[in-house]
Amino acid sequence: MFKGKKFLVLGVANDMSIGWAISQALHSSGAELAFTFVNEAIEKRVRPLAQSLGCENVVKCDVQSDDDLTSLAQYIESKWGKFDGIVHSVAYAEREDLKNRFHQTTRKGFQTALDVSAYSLIAVTGKLLPLLTPNSSVITLTYLGSERVVTNYNVMGVAKAALEASVRYLAADVGEQGIRVNALSAGPIKTLAASGIPKFREMLTHFAEKAPLKRNVTLEDVARTALFYLGESSNGITGEVTYIDCGFNIIGM
Ligand code: NAD
Ligand code: 0WE
């Protein structure tokens, strides 16, 4: 289905990452991949994972660095020339901002969360735009905390609101080049980004009790929907935020 197609994946940290689940699904469907890492600690995990798919395309990109974004574009151009899509699976807020009261969010914490988690989608898409083929697809990962208050999600909720709005403005902007931009809003999954979040286990239990499907969301659930949005099955869809949440968001009481 994706034979001969090439996708860049940002945000694989380990074998539990949502980005990795999407990468495995893409690989199984015949796609060629490239991966980025933010620092050396993550590089040590990403390289072996990439190699397990027979992939040598691994490059540093801290999305807070304009130089890294420029060298990422140069790397992709040298390896591939043109390519077919981007999986943006990156988010970060300072730990204190996911623990303190929301009114204690610092200017620095706000800037970091919004820069890494929202602006990076604009920057990455913009830098790579000349290399994206017509009919290519960009996806990003978001969370319900953008539109509903989720205890402790705090400034990340503000960042995800900015990310989802950016998806709409990007979709409107790059649509004339035949490029689509969509967000997948996943329910809670125990990944690295979820580790160390107080009471995450309890959140998963609550979610599985309340969600219409009476279970938690799996990495495979997200990966399957990601393939739909990355491929031609979704050719008429852009600027959307799609829930992959076992129906959790529809419940009032
Ligand atoms: P993860 O920790 O595996 O992935 C987050 C990635 O962001 C890591 O690879 C990390 O290295 C990367 N990153 C952080 N700062 C960066 C920077 N400055 N430059 C480049 N990369 C940077 O966790 P995950 O749960 O797979 O998260 C992936 C995406 O899914 C995030 O956008 C997250 O908000 C979103 N999401 C997660 C859940 C969940 O419950 N796990 C639910 C909905 C949405
Ligand atoms: O987007 C996320 C997590 C994003 C995240 C996680 C961390 C933990 C480690 C961003 N930055 C950091 N910084 C760190 O230092 N999710 C959707 C998962 C998540 O995180 C929560 C959640 C859910 C769900 C935090 C509080 C409440 C719910």
Side-chain angles (χ1 to χ4, degrees), residues 28-210:
S28 298
S29 304
E32 204 179 316
L33 301 173
F35 297 93
T36 66
F37 57 86
V38 56
N39 57 36
E40 282 174 21
I42 300 290
E43 178 180 14
K44 289 203 179 87
R45 297 194 171 274
V46 173
R47 278 199 189 275
L49 287 171
Q51 270 160 12
S52 76
L53 305 181
C55 171
E56 299 284 344
N57 307 325
V58 181
V59 61
K60 178 174 190 277
C61 183
D62 178 343
V63 296
Q64 293 197 277
S65 159
D66 288 329
D67 290 346
D68 279 10
L69 289 165
T70 301
S71 52
L72 169 64
Q74 286 166 349
Y75 180 87
I76 296 295
E77 180 161 34
S78 73
K79 287 276 174 178
W80 285 342
K82 304 277 179 187
F83 73 114
D84 303 286
I86 303 171
V87 177
H88 175 278
S89 186
V90 170
Y92 180 77
E94 285 167 20
R95 193 170 284 278
E96 309 81 73
D97 289 324
L98 301 175
K99 191 180 70 187
N100 292 345
R101 290 182 59 185
F102 182 64
H103 76 261
Q104 292 169 324
T105 305
T106 61
R107 193 184 302 275
K108 173 90 181 340
F110 183 95
Q111 284 170 345
T112 299
L114 275 280
D115 188 26
V116 175
S117 314
Y119 177 70
S120 64
L121 180 72
I122 305 171
V124 167
T125 306
K127 276 283 185 208
L128 294 166
L129 201 54
L131 306 180
L132 285 168
T133 56
N135 285 322
S136 59
S137 171
V138 177
I139 63 167
T140 186
L141 274 299
T142 188
Y143 177 61
L144 182 65
S146 61
E147 43 182 331
R148 244 54 84 58
V149 172
V150 174
T151 305
N152 293 331
Y153 201 62
N154 294 358
V155 74
M156 270 308 304
V158 179
K160 292 301 195 188
L163 177 71
E164 291 170 21
S166 302
V167 163
R168 291 184 283 272
Y169 279 94
L170 277 172
D173 186 20
V174 304
E176 65 190 27
Q177 288 171 241
I179 299 163
R180 300 182 294 108
V181 186
N182 292 287
L184 308 182
S185 187
I189 301 175
K190 187 111 186 90
T191 62
L192 183 64
S195 69
I197 304 293
K199 304 219 168 128
F200 199 80
R201 284 261 155 242
E202 286 91 326
M203 285 181 45
L204 290 176
T205 307
H206 171 85
F207 185 96
E209 277 170 10
K210 302 298 169 198

